[in-house]
Amino acid sequence: MPELSERIANHASDMFVHEPSSKSEMTLNAHNPQNEKSLQFMAPSECTEILSPEEEKMRTEENSLNITQTLRNSKEWHEVVAYGHLAGSARAHSLTATTLRGPGMIVRRPLKFFNADKTECIIIAHLGTNLCGHDGIIHGGMLATLLDEHLAYVTLPSLPNFTGFTANLNVDYRKPVHSNQWIVVRGKLTKLEGRKAYATAYLESADGETVYTEARALYISPRSAGPQTNF
């Protein structure tokens, strides 16, 4: 019997039954490193945001975080626009980019940093009071979602066609994450084997003193290129 990862890979490749009609259909979510919008090369007009008073407060807070200042002053990390790799339709239907955005949830678009070859990523985000399981404690499913998405950031750019699916995800919950706080997610590609990519990630406090949740995952690229996400 084939290994579990191979059976999942075969299933993933069977999900697509048509040939892509153009290059624009070659990836699900444009994880091509060339498609990521870097703040360094964006025009001032593209960086202009119309913010609510709450968002303005959050922006002031995020800019004052030591981790934010450290990453922005580092030559080893470059800042990109979170969710900037998503096409309009994919972004509109995205759980984290759209559905969970708003007061009491993810008010501010997270800050996102990559290393040079996109094998490591750091996200800085604020989790509000309406993302809880137990009152005052962020839902475990929410944390797993953030980690799963983050693990994709460090695996898909290295996979064929920059596309892949979660084949296996293991999450270890170390400590509860209280709501209404800034958190940091760090991830790293650990191994690449053809259509398989392995990675680890963890979610910690903004000061780096407390690790809340850890995860490891296997992502597999389908044998044939799939269509671009377009609902």
Side-chain angles (χ1 to χ4, degrees), residues 34-223:
Q34 304 305 317
N35 290 342
E36 202 83 45
K37 288 186 178 181
S38 175
L39 292 182
Q40 181 181 359
F41 301 107
M42 287 179 66
S45 59
E46 293 183 279
C47 297
T48 302
E49 295 180 279
I50 300 176
L51 304 178
S52 67
E54 185 178 6
E55 286 181 293
E56 187 65 55
K57 177 177 179 291
M58 290 290 101
R59 182 168 69 172
T60 300
E61 287 185 12
E62 73 183 10
N63 288 336
S64 68
L65 294 173
N66 288 335
I67 180 67
T68 302
Q69 297 175 17
T70 297
L71 291 172
R72 285 177 172 168
N73 291 326
S74 172
K75 294 182 179 179
E76 297 179 2
W77 297 93
H78 65 278
E79 186 172 2
V80 301
V81 179
Y83 311 119
H85 63 286
L86 295 175
S89 177
R91 187 183 305 111
H93 295 90
S94 169
L95 177 64
T96 52
T98 301
T99 307
L100 294 176
R101 288 288 305 281
M105 298 185 291
I106 304 175
V107 175
R108 285 285 291 160
R109 181 177 59 198
L111 300 182
K112 184 178 182 181
F113 299 84
F114 273 116
N115 67 341
D117 58 4
K118 296 189 74 172
T119 57
E120 295 185 47
C121 183
I122 299 175
I123 289 283
I124 302 171
H126 186 274
L127 304 181
T129 57
N130 297 336
L131 299 172
C132 298
H134 297 287
D135 192 22
I137 304 295
I138 298 298
H139 197 293
M142 178 68 194
L143 302 179
T145 297
L146 292 175
L147 288 164
D148 181 30
E149 186 171 75
H150 198 88
L151 288 157
Y153 292 155
V154 296
T155 54
L156 269 58
S158 298
L159 286 172
N161 296 311
F162 315 110
T163 296
F165 299 92
T166 309
N168 182 268
L169 174 67
N170 292 285
V171 180
D172 295 319
Y173 296 94
R174 303 300 184 191
K175 294 185 178 181
V177 179
H178 292 282
S179 62
N180 194 31
Q181 71 162 309
W182 292 94
I183 55 93
V184 175
V185 188
R186 297 175 181 266
K188 182 177 182 178
L189 176 69
T190 57
K191 185 168 63 172
L192 190 62
E193 296 179 341
R195 296 186 298 113
K196 300 177 185 179
Y198 300 82
T200 59
Y202 61 94
L203 190 150
E204 65 179 5
S205 57
D207 60 11
E209 295 294 323
T210 306
V211 173
Y212 295 118
T213 312
E214 298 174 306
R216 57 193 183 279
L218 163 64
Y219 283 77
I220 296 180
S221 178
R223 285 198 172 93

